[in-house]
Structures are given as structure tokens and as C-alpha cells.
Amino acid sequence: MRDQLAVFFCASDPNTNQQFLYSIDGRTGEQNWVSPVNFQPGPPSLVNDTVVLFGDSKADLNRTTVGVFDRNTGVLIRSGEISKSSRTHRGRLGDLIATAALHQASLELLDPSTLTLTKIYEAPGPIVADAGPVYADAGGAGRSYLTYSESNHSFGIAAVRLADGFQEWTLSLGEKKLVWTHMDEDSAYFCLLLPHDTQISSEIWRVDLASGGVVWRVAAPGASRPTAVFHGSLIVQDGTDLTVALKVRDGSELYRFQHAGRSVWAIPDEDGGALFGYGTGLIAVDTRRFWTTSFTGAVRGTPMYAGTSVLVGNADGRLTAVALESGQTRWTRNVGGALEGGGAIQQGRAFVGHGAGVTAFDIQSGQQIWSMQTPKPVTSPILATPQAVVFGCRDGTIRALLPLDGSPVWTVQTQGFVEGGVALYNGLYVAGSADGKVYALDANGQLVWQFVPSDPEIDEIKSTPLVADDLVIVGNASGHLFALDASTGALKWHRKLAGGIRTSSALQHTDHVWIGDESGQVYHLLLQDGSIDWQVAVAGAVRGRPAWLGGELYVGTMAGTLDVLDIFTGTLRRRVPIGAPVFASPIVALESIVVADEAGGLHTLVPGP
């Protein structure tokens, strides 16, 4: 059992069989205190400032011993015996604990301050002892869920309101026997042992707590021990050295990993990882990452998603294809200089800009197809279409090449470095320049329109424009965010943000956009007029474009974190430490979040629900 600062569990001395209750600091693993327990305890329950233990009475097998310990010191406050109750006690109603009598049908409430019992419910049949019969959901609805025997070979689950003992629903399991249960805010996860004549030994069901309806059911891996839920994944231990994560949404397998020794239990830590209990101690496991790998140079360009691989360029001038499933390198190639702007994939080819120009590679083999030199380094992201490869250059030009062989198509000169990317709108190529202007060019490189901010607002533009709902959204280094008519370049609205916009770019969300700035603010703005729906602070400056998956927004920060926000409110759901500043934009690939950092790290993270 865990509270915000401590983990509580019981263990025995193998030489003397003496039982002990431990309190461990959940952040450091250091022991807070240890107290002897003079009975065989079950899992602890936390009630206010106490830890309550239940166990078999040594004097009377028909009774249960209860011990109440001070949560902060481990001192035994009171102990006594009650009528025989379940070995598992997790139901809560305020200061009371719900318990269930073994092989009987009674659900009772225990007052730990007096050790008195009050009966509130009679189940349809005898409560099954080894099914962990009493649970209360974490959503605060005050229900308990108990398993009972309908007949010799048939079982059911009842949801009971603890406040008054009202039965809200029942779910028949047939001949499937409940092995364990885990709950989050709105669902229960049941592992059910199937009859011996079936090919699958057990199943895992997700059941809606409000209605009792089955959301999904899948075959359970191995022997399947108790579980925990971590921001969108259900952790299942199979009783050996294998742990499997299932997607909460549909029950499909997310990932699996092996570890040293057989795990006994798992609980979430404060940052979204896990603490695993083993026969010999505790281990902290980062369940937020699928894998992490590293390169020798900083990764500043956004990784490229290429089917089952992700392509990453680094400041040491190497382009590497990494397997998304495992993080293993599939191929790596040297180019003519640092890769800092990111690339693009089109028709099986990867086009990357670097210190000496632009090079095209086959994404499967890594074979170089062509390379075109430029007078100055290419540090802008690449735009690739079937007709052209378009990019900016530090010589102040916007250039277009043929995708087939890299032949030049056209070149347009601006009055400053072009380090932001190029957006495409109805055949127009739109890009900003360090001269503070926005250029719209046709397929032949002819200028269609040009936007020049007023003198107080003009500053260098290094971000990539976003085209959304016939608007061009682009910001500059002074923090001015402009919305332009994509056809004419006319200013539609303008908003001054709290911080500058260096290389961060906007991302569309229905009729809104998200964007981050140098002050570490992230905004959700209405496309129509730029009004702010919400604005929140993240851990540090934002240099990239956010990534969006499901109900979550993933924002990389120069403070070395990936901040995960609720898309509708901006509320911080969790903060994942990356270990180095995040300059490149995170991306979504195969339902994982791929993040690169300034120290050369590449991480694939587990998404939320």
C-alpha cells in the first residue's frame, strides 16, 4: 500500500518467520521505520494516520486479528480480534473499512478506532475466499465489489454501495473463477481462471464500474499475477520474470520486458513509473519508456517517422535509422555536416538538410540516392512533395530541387537566414526569414505575396508557418504571433505572447492552435481571432512543435522534460524527465511518443489513455 510519500508492506524473517511491517520512502527507497507483527498479516490498509493490518488469529482459527499502527512512527496503537473476515481488505467508506466474512454472504464495515463490525449487505451466495472479495473504486463512488459463488461451478460479482448496502449491479462469470482484481477511476480489471477443458487458462476483462458492462476481454499472459495501472497501460505480471503491459483502451499488448526475479506486486510511483516488490526487496522501474538509445551528438532536428523505423540526424553529421519496436540501429550514414533542421520522407526516400547541403537516402537500406551542395548550411526543416523538395538556407535563400535527382528548380533570395521550414497551401510555398518577412511563392518560385510587419513588431522568423483554415500562423523572435490570409498575405489578427518564438511552431487542434514560447508558456488560441482559450506554464522554454495523441498534448522543454498536458484544459497530467534539453519536436509513431534531446538521447515513451 502506498500514500504520497511512503510505501507500506509486510515481510518475514526467513530464519525466524517473524513478520514485520515496513514503511519505505517512495522517492528514495530508504526505510522510514519497521515494526514487528505478531500474526500472519494480509495487505495493509491506510485509514487517516494509521496503517491497519488483518491476519489469522493464532488462538482461534475462526477469528481474525486486527492491528492498528501509527502511520508516521510504526507504533502499535491497538489490536484485537473480530469474527473471521477476508484476507483482503480494500473497501473504504470514510474512516471505515469494508470486510467480508469467509464462505459467508455478509459484507461488514469495521471501525478501526473501536474494532467493531456493522453488517450492511447480504450477497446472493457465499463469498469466495480466494478471490480478493472486497474492493472500493478509486473514483470515490464508495462501492465495494465482491465475488460470490452462484453454484458449485458458477461465480458472480456484485457492486454494492457502501453508504447504505444497496446492490447496484451484478455480473455473472459463469464457470470462470476470479483470480485478481485491479481498479482505476472508472474501470475494474478482472483476471478470470477458465475451466480446465479450454485452451486458454485465463482471461483479463475490463469492466465499467458504473454499469457492470464488459468493455473488453483478452487472453491473459502466463499465470498472471496482480496488476497496476500506469497512465494508459495495465501492467500484468505473469508469475515469472516476465511483465506485460496491455493498453487500457482495448486490451492489446503494448510492450513486455523481463527482469531479475519473480515480481510479487507493482504500484505506481509519483512520476508515472513503478515500484516492483520481489522476494528479496524493491526495485524502481521506469514504465514510461519503451526504450532509450543515444548518439554522440545533439539531436535538434525533428525525428522522421518511416513505417517501422524512425530516422534521426545528429550534430555529428550522422543519419541513423532506428527500429521503433526495439530501439536497435538498422543503418547509419555519414553526411557532409551537422544535421540540425530535420528532414522529410516522400515516396520511400528521406531528404535531409545538413552542413553541406541536402541529401536523399533510401529509407529501407540507407543507400544514398543523390546529394546537392549549397553555399551555406541547411538548418531549416525540409518540405518534400512529389513535385519538389523545398527548404531554406543560411545564405538567405529558399530553394526547390527535383525529388528524383536533386536538380535545382528555382532559388529565391531573401534578406536574412532562412532557418524555419516551408508550409504548403494550394500550390503556394510559404516561409519566413530572419529579415522578419513572410514570403509566399508559386510552383515556379515567383513571389505571390509578401508580409512585412510594422516596425515595432518586426523581428527574425525562425519558426515554421502553420497553414490552417485558410490562415498562415507564424511567430517571430519578439513573441509576435501573426495570422495571415493564406491567399493574399493580409493580416487577419496579431497577438503578443509573453515570450519570444524562436523555433517553436503552432499545431492545429480543430478550430484552435497550440504554440509554446521562450518564457515556457503554452497557449491554446482560437483560430478565428487569436483569443486565448487557456495558457499554462511548462517546465522551460519551448523550441519545437507539440505532439498530440488522444486527450494529451506532449510538449518538449529546454528544461529537459516532456510535459504532458490535457488538450482541453492545459492541466499538467505528468512531467517526464528526459535528462537533457529538448530542442526537437516530439512526434507520434506507432502509438508511442518519440522524443530526442540535446545530449543525443532518443526516447520512445508510453502514451496516456
Side-chain angles (χ1 to χ4, degrees), residues 210-225:
S211 66
V214 178
V215 181
W216 51 255
R217 53 194 289 184
V218 298
S224 295
R225 302 299 177 183

Side-chain angles (χ1 to χ4, degrees), residues 58 131-132 167 192 245 266 279 375 458 477-478 497 545 558 588 597:
K58 293 182 178 180
Q167 177 181 290
L192 303 173
I458 197 166
S478 295
L497 304 184
R545 175 175 279 157
M558 295 300 286
V588 176
D597 65 48

Side-chain angles (χ1 to χ4, degrees), residues 194-209:
L194 274 63
H196 295 297
D197 57 353
T198 59
Q199 292 182 345
I200 302 173
S201 60
S202 58
E203 289 183 336
I204 297 175
W205 292 14
R206 178 183 173 185
V207 175
D208 181 80
L209 288 178

Side-chain angles (χ1 to χ4, degrees), residues 1-9 21-35 46 51 70-75 270 275 282:
M1 177 64 67
R2 178 191 174 92
D3 66 8
Q4 291 184 346
L5 300 176
V7 178
F8 301 93
F9 64 93
L21 173 63
Y22 287 86
S23 173
I24 303 295
D25 189 306
R27 297 164 298 186
T28 66
E30 296 180 358
Q31 179 177 298
N32 294 324
W33 51 257
V34 58
S35 293
L46 301 180
V51 183
D70 186 278
R71 181 189 298 205
N72 298 312
T73 66
V75 173
E270 293 177 355
L275 293 174
L282 292 174

